[in-house]
Amino acid sequence: MAIRHRVALAAFVAVIALSSCASRPVDGGSPSLAGASPSDISLSAAALAPAIDIVSPAEGATVSAPFVVNGEANTFEATLTIDAVDESGMTACVRQLTATSGSGTPGTWEGVLAFPPEEDPLRVMLRAYTFSQVDGSMVDLVQHPITVAPDRPAIIVTSPRCGDVYEPGGLVLLTGSAALFEAALTVELRDSSGSALVVVPVTAEECCVESPFTAELTIPAGLSSGFYDVVAYSLSAADGSVDNEFPVQIEVRGGAPAPTG
């Protein structure tokens, strides 16, 4: 009887051991997601994804100003900032953006950085980030180096520069250069939807070769505080479409808050 009792006890222990091994993850990994729902898996992936990602230009790319920057983000109220900082620490250009969604729902974003090119290739750190709702510090920073070629676009705006601040009713001195047929270009102040609020016809000093231009643009007195674009462009001689856009984002402060919703 004692022998049969010991054999039965050993068999029971073996069954328990096998059951325990079967319930453990292999190689110390995470428990299987085989039984998880698609929504659970999506939520897990979103939680692990970085808050901001730069998709283009890629790390090490060479671009010509102005250039498009785009990526993905999941930030508070979908807001973020992009900029390009040279090796001396100077900010070549900065732009405030709003992604297609945020606050827990990943979205996409896109913006243009436009600044006068240097005589030689300019190595910059392309950055994207947002600001903490707690203390206003920079958070969720992602960055990588790119090179801005010295290629000169048909229109270059030297004033205003990215991030310049004006008051409603303030005067913007427009300066730059253009190499255009008939030396004709247009400068507009546009809101965030792309609608033109002010339109200024401009003529450069000479036709068909790069030459300077100057003009003035007055910020509307009742304009709401917020971010706006000063955009210089020409019209295609072939079909009259907008061409050679050079957009510079400025900030207007001191007006009524911009409407939401």
Side-chain angles (χ1 to χ4, degrees):
M1 292 293 293
I3 294 174
R4 286 199 296 270
H5 178 72
R6 286 197 294 271
V7 171
L9 179 61
F12 176 74
V13 170
V15 170
I16 294 297
L18 289 172
S19 300
S20 176
C21 290
S23 66
R24 294 174 190 163
V26 178
D27 296 331
S30 301
S32 171
L33 292 177
S37 68
S39 59
D40 290 339
I41 296 173
S42 297
L43 288 172
S44 297
L48 294 174
I52 304 173
D53 185 32
I54 300 173
V55 175
S56 179
E59 181 174 354
T62 297
V63 300
S64 297
F67 58 93
V68 176
V69 186
N70 60 50
E72 301 172 348
N74 183 4
T75 61
F76 179 71
E77 294 186 343
T79 60
L80 68 149
T81 302
I82 61 173
D83 64 22
V85 179
D86 67 21
E87 293 177 328
S88 71
M90 294 290 292
T91 300
C93 192
V94 60
R95 176 173 285 271
Q96 313 299 321
L97 296 173
T98 302
T100 55
S101 59
S103 296
T105 303
T108 59
W109 54 266
E110 180 174 289
V112 177
L113 294 181
F115 52 94
E118 301 289 335
E119 293 183 359
D120 299 306
L122 177 67
R123 184 177 170 86
V124 299
M125 189 65 72
L126 181 62
R127 310 190 302 177
Y129 51 91
T130 187
F131 293 99
S132 167
Q133 298 302 305
V134 177
D135 57 13
S137 61
M138 181 190 296
V139 294
D140 298 323
L141 170 67
V142 292
Q143 58 184 357
H144 59 240
I146 62 171
T147 299
V148 182
D151 305 335
R152 299 187 70 77
I155 299 174
I156 299 172
V157 175
T158 54
S159 176
R161 294 186 67 88
C162 306
D164 282 355
V165 179
Y166 297 88
E167 295 181 353
L171 184 67
V172 180
L173 176 63
L174 303 169
T175 64
S177 63
L180 300 168
F181 177 69
E182 295 184 343
L185 64 147
T186 303
V187 178
E188 292 181 350
L189 178 68
R190 298 179 186 172
D191 63 17
S192 58
S193 71
S195 299
L197 307 177
V198 181
V199 181
V200 179
V202 179
T203 303
E205 291 185 2
E206 294 185 52
C207 168
C208 310
V209 296
E210 184 172 343
S211 60
F213 67 81
T214 60
E216 293 180 349
L217 182 154
T218 301
I219 304 291
L223 197 63
S224 299
S225 294
F227 296 98
Y228 298 84
D229 272 0
V230 174
V231 186
Y233 64 90
S234 60
L235 298 178
S236 168
D239 58 12
S241 60
V242 172
D243 202 6
N244 299 312
E245 284 193 323
F246 195 103
V248 176
Q249 188 181 71
I250 64 170
E251 183 178 1
V252 174
R253 293 180 188 170
T260 57

